[in-house]
Amino acid sequence: VHPRTEMQDRTLFFGVVAAAAAATTAAVAAIAVATRVFAQPEKVASVPGNPVASFVLNPEGRPHVVVYYCTRCKWMARAAWISQELLGTFGEQLAGVTLAPAEAGVFRVDVAIAGRSTGTIWDRKSEGAFPEAKELKNRLRDVAFPDEKLGKHVER
């Protein structure tokens, strides 16, 4: 092992300082954006009992879906598939679909419209099974878009 020179030590030190400064700058920028967002409470959806949807910007009042999935059960792929199905059908009618990690065998789909929770449209524990895409789309439509048809390939 070769001993480092004083110049190498200084270079290493200033490299570490520069990296820390860059990370700090990024963190300060993120805090500034969050401050601007939360300074406008009328634009922030507030959903009791739903910490993920509480921070979603949704000035148009479009529905926001949150899919809670158990991380220990490895259900993230299923949650991602459900979100893909919902976004593929409803597209820009939705403010978004959020995947939210949960525990204890949870697989639940909640909807919030205009900053208020409209409740759970699917809960694996109470239903006794995972949702089929067709059934979940129909339930979301019934809550968020009751006057719309989903098309003959999705309708009941």
Side-chain angles (χ1 to χ4, degrees):
V1 175
H2 298 287
R4 288 193 312 248
T5 65
E6 184 178 341
M7 184 59 134
Q8 288 172 326
D9 284 343
R10 283 189 203 155
T11 303
L12 179 62
F13 173 76
F14 287 116
V16 170
V17 169
T24 303
T25 303
V28 169
I31 291 169
V33 168
T35 303
R36 282 195 304 268
V37 167
F38 296 116
Q40 302 170 356
E42 70 279 359
K43 290 187 177 181
V44 178
S46 176
V47 181
N50 190 341
V52 175
S54 298
F55 302 105
V56 176
L57 290 178
N58 188 6
E60 300 89 19
R62 295 179 292 162
H64 183 257
V65 178
V66 180
V67 180
Y68 293 94
Y69 65 94
C70 178
T71 54
R72 291 184 195 172
C73 304
K74 309 287 187 213
W75 290 339
M76 185 174 73
R78 186 182 300 265
W81 171 73
I82 288 294
S83 67
Q84 177 184 355
E85 288 289 323
L86 295 177
L87 287 169
T89 299
F90 296 102
E92 293 180 358
Q93 293 175 298
L94 296 175
V97 178
T98 300
L99 301 182
E103 293 182 357
V106 170
F107 193 91
R108 190 177 79 228
V109 181
D110 291 352
V111 179
I113 301 174
R116 62 177 175 68
S117 177
T118 60
T120 299
I121 61 172
W122 192 275
D123 185 356
R124 186 194 66 82
K125 286 185 179 179
S126 63
E127 300 285 342
F130 288 100
E132 292 293 327
K134 176 181 175 181
E135 178 64 24
L136 196 58
K137 290 175 185 181
N138 280 321
R139 289 186 186 192
L140 178 58
R141 188 265 329 261
D142 291 347
V143 169
F145 313 105
D147 299 330
E148 286 192 23
K149 293 191 174 206
L150 292 176
K152 62 183 175 187
H153 63 282
V154 180
E155 285 294 321
R156 298 174 208 207

